[in-house]
Amino acid sequence: MTSSANDTHLPPPAEWKAGVPVAAILVIALCAGLAVLGAFRGLPEFAAADPDGTLLFIGATTPVYLAVAFTVFAQRFAPRRAASVTTGTIDELDEPVTVLPQSRAGWASALALAVALLLVGAFLASGPILALVFGQSGATDGLVQGALGLALLAGSLVFLGEVLRKRIRPGYVALSPYGVHCRMWNYVGLAAWDLFVPSAAEQHGPMIVLAVPDGDSSAVWRTSPWWRPAELRLQPHVVLRALNLAVDPVLLYHAIRFYEESPELRAELGTRAAAERLVSQDLARR
């Protein structure tokens, strides 16, 4: 999981896959190739007298290919710096916490993908809708295309609407003397230090699981009614997917392990001392 773009020198957990993320490279290469094809062959079809349907579609979906490539790059290859750790406050608490924020590139890629799908949905739906409105012959031939376009329009508008309502917003992981607080896109989790055991897992990228023993509980809830995150299936455990954070997931893993095993030092969380400890990666467990 570590790479030259990260400044973390801590060892990654054995559970996380090491090496070059080949699948991510292939996705980026494929999307880049389709974007180039769309730019040089697909987009000119819009001005053609007799446009080719396949090339027209590739041209129209070029923004999606670019957004997907940007999203995968932001998750797998964007630089992650320990200096991103800050001291601040979050909505769930009134006291200062040590914050590991979401990557700006990761958030921007999500918004870019939503806008790209909005544009493609508008393009796909516009033709059949106009044909039906003006009673053109063969209008029913584009019903599937129109339905797909309307579905993309609806999904992207709902997502962007939830962003405007701040139900979906940039995430973070915050460490406080009480426990670990997280916001992962559209759900919030809270687990007290003395009630969980941290472990590493790999599923579509590195995960950190705050496993809560039977009989204990944590607080996990979604912030948007439109999507149910897969992580909620593991309740009462709290799952942290750290690919979108501005710091290396390895640093987050060791920070949680350090404070979970060093209760006498939890009082420094939310202070400058804790931020400096994480930035310097002084996380050798006592």
Side-chain angles (χ1 to χ4, degrees):
M1 183 58 212
T2 56
S3 72
S4 59
N6 303 329
D7 58 7
T8 304
H9 59 253
L10 299 166
E15 294 85 352
W16 290 353
K17 295 178 181 178
V20 179
V22 177
I25 294 175
L26 291 176
V27 170
I28 292 175
L30 175 61
C31 290
L34 289 172
V36 170
L37 177 63
F40 289 96
R41 290 293 310 279
L43 294 180
E45 292 295 311
F46 284 89
D50 186 19
D52 180 275
T54 300
L55 291 176
L56 195 65
F57 178 79
I58 293 176
T61 52
T62 295
V64 175
Y65 305 136
L66 293 173
V68 171
F70 178 33
T71 300
V72 176
F73 175 82
Q75 288 186 337
R76 293 293 185 172
F77 301 105
R80 304 174 192 273
R81 304 301 181 195
S84 301
V85 178
T86 62
T87 299
T89 58
I90 57 176
D91 292 345
E92 290 77 19
L93 291 175
D94 294 328
E95 59 186 2
V97 292
T98 300
V99 181
L100 292 80
Q102 181 171 340
S103 164
R104 292 181 180 179
W107 178 243
S109 68
L111 295 179
L113 183 57
V115 172
L117 291 174
L118 177 69
L119 295 175
V120 172
F123 167 76
L124 292 177
S126 60
I129 290 176
L130 290 175
L132 286 172
V133 169
F134 292 101
Q136 298 177 4
S137 60
T140 56
D141 296 341
L143 287 180
V144 174
Q145 173 186 323
L148 176 60
L150 289 175
L152 291 176
L153 266 177
S156 54
L157 285 174
V158 168
F159 178 85
L160 293 172
E162 293 294 86
V163 170
L164 292 176
R165 299 177 70 180
K166 296 186 177 181
R167 290 180 172 179
I168 297 177
R169 58 182 176 178
Y172 59 79
V173 175
L175 309 180
S176 77
Y178 174 81
V180 178
H181 312 254
C182 74
R183 184 182 182 98
M184 297 282 116
W185 294 105
N186 62 334
Y187 82 92
V188 174
L190 168 62
W193 287 113
D194 296 329
L195 297 181
F196 71 82
V197 177
S199 62
E202 176 84 26
Q203 185 179 18
H204 307 299
M207 298 194 313
I208 300 171
V209 180
L210 309 182
V212 179
D214 293 338
D216 292 324
S217 63
S218 63
V220 182
W221 65 95
R222 56 180 174 173
T223 59
S224 172
W226 294 97
W227 290 276
R228 178 176 174 81
E231 291 82 359
L232 292 186
R233 300 172 186 170
L234 297 178
Q235 286 183 281
H237 308 325
V238 177
V239 178
L240 309 179
R241 292 189 179 272
L243 278 181
N244 290 319
L245 294 180
V247 301
D248 192 340
V250 175
L251 175 60
L252 173 61
Y253 172 78
H254 282 277
I256 292 176
R257 289 288 304 273
F258 176 81
Y259 286 107
E260 191 269 334
E261 297 180 4
S262 306
E264 72 280 3
L265 294 176
R266 294 174 192 164
E268 72 180 22
L269 288 168
T271 69
R272 186 173 180 179
E276 291 176 350
R277 182 186 297 279
L278 267 63
V279 170
S280 64
Q281 300 175 46
D282 179 20
L283 297 172
R285 291 186 284 279
R286 276 46 176 174

